[in-house]
Amino acid sequence: MAAPVWSGEPAVPAYSFLKELAKRGYQGKVSAFETDAGSTGKFFASFAAEAKSLGLDYDQK
């Protein structure tokens, strides 16, 4: 999943997308890459934490 970085975090729509995947019972892996014009901040750590908290299998590559 690609998402822009907003203040060092994944954009709010990225979190909404993860919640929708979990709600629909998605069984595959999720992964992320980002787009930004500066610092990625806590983007990857925050994305992974949210995915894992929703019971999604996060694949960090």
Side-chain angles (χ1 to χ4, degrees):
M1 169 182 176
V5 177
W6 290 359
S7 299
E9 299 282 338
V12 173
Y15 290 126
S16 298
F17 181 73
L18 288 176
K19 288 176 185 169
E20 188 64 27
L21 285 177
K23 180 177 145 185
R24 293 178 184 235
Y26 179 73
Q27 295 297 309
K29 293 183 179 189
V30 294
S31 187
F33 65 94
E34 46 73 29
T35 58
D36 70 88
S39 171
T40 59
K42 301 183 295 180
F43 177 90
F44 291 105
S46 296
F47 186 94
E50 181 69 13
K52 290 176 184 178
S53 77
L54 294 168
L56 297 169
D57 185 9
Y58 177 70
D59 185 15
Q60 183 177 349
K61 290 192 176 189

